[in-house]
Amino acid sequence: MESLDAEGWARLFNDCRVSACHLEMRDHYAVAEELADVEKWRAGKWGPEQDAASKADWLDLMRATATRGVRIRRTRIISEPASEYIQFEHEGTPQNIAAGEEVHWLPRARASGLALPGNDCWIFDSATVLFNHFTGDGGWRGNELSTDPHVVELCTKAFESAWKLGTPHDEYILPRSAS
C-alpha cells in the first residue's frame, strides 16, 4: 500500500481526460487534515469561506480538471440520519460543486441491492482505480492503484449504479438525528 502525496494526486487528475468518479461509503472520516476543521465546525466557527480556504488546493485541482472538460462526479453512500461528519461534509459540498464536481447522495438503505467494492475509490477514465484505505475509526491508511480490467469494471459498474440511485446535492435534504 502506498500513500499518494499532493503531486501524485495532481498527476492522476492531470492525466485524466474524460471522467473522474469518486465513490464514498463511510459515515465517518477522521483524516488528520480535517480534524481541526471539524472542531471549528462543531463550535459554530466554520462557514463557506473557511471551508473553501481549508480545501483550496483540492478545489483548484478540481477547477483545473473540470476546465479541461473532465466530468467529475462523486457519490456518497450514507446512513440516515446522517452522522456528524456527514453533516459537516454536506455543508461543505457547495464549494466542491462550484469547483466543478457533481455530487449525489445515496441513503445506505437504498443501496442494499448494489454490488460495491470493499473500499472507497476513485475511477479515472474507466481505466484506473485508486482505492482509499482507512482505519476502523476513519484515520488515513493509504492508497492502492489498480488497472486490473475486472477491478475497474466492478468499480465502474458500482459507481454508475449508485449514481443512478442517488439524489443530486441541491435536491437532497439531509436527515439529521433528533439529538
Side-chain angles (χ1 to χ4, degrees):
M1 188 174 338
E2 61 183 282
S3 195
L4 292 178
D5 60 10
E7 287 181 19
W9 280 98
R11 192 170 32 258
L12 282 169
F13 282 94
N14 291 335
D15 291 346
C16 191
R17 297 291 167 239
V18 178
S19 65
C21 303
H22 191 192
L23 183 59
E24 295 181 23
M25 300 178 287
R26 297 181 58 92
D27 287 321
H28 177 76
Y29 296 87
V31 294
E33 299 82 35
E34 288 182 334
L35 294 177
D37 297 348
V38 172
E39 286 301 318
K40 290 175 189 170
W41 172 83
R42 191 178 288 131
K45 298 176 180 175
W46 192 256
E49 291 97 18
Q50 292 85 358
D51 188 73
S54 176
K55 57 187 181 187
D57 290 342
W58 178 259
L59 297 175
D60 288 344
L61 181 59
M62 294 303 97
R63 272 189 284 280
T65 303
T67 298
R68 291 194 334 273
V70 174
R71 186 175 185 198
I72 307 165
R73 295 182 292 158
R74 182 187 298 259
T75 299
R76 292 176 170 146
I77 299 175
I78 62 165
S79 299
E80 293 181 329
S83 69
E84 182 183 60
Y85 181 84
I86 294 299
Q87 292 174 43
F88 165 78
E89 198 171 51
H90 187 268
E91 288 181 25
T93 297
Q95 285 69 252
N96 295 71
I97 292 170
E101 292 187 34
E102 300 171 61
V103 179
H104 280 193
W105 297 87
L106 178 58
R108 192 171 312 284
R110 293 186 51 218
S112 297
L114 300 180
L116 298 168
N119 294 289
D120 288 13
C121 61
W122 277 96
I123 307 140
F124 298 95
D125 292 336
S126 298
T128 301
V129 173
L130 177 71
F131 290 105
N132 294 319
H133 296 288
F134 299 91
T135 63
D137 64 2
W140 180 250
R141 285 220 37 230
N143 306 105
E144 175 187 357
L145 275 169
S146 178
T147 56
D148 179 312
H150 299 292
V151 172
V152 172
E153 180 181 23
L154 168 84
C155 294
T156 300
K157 284 182 177 179
F159 178 84
E160 293 300 336
S161 295
W163 179 261
K164 287 176 187 164
L165 288 175
T167 302
H169 177 77
D170 62 347
E171 298 173 22
Y172 182 69
I173 297 169
L174 187 72
R176 299 170 190 252
S177 65
S179 58

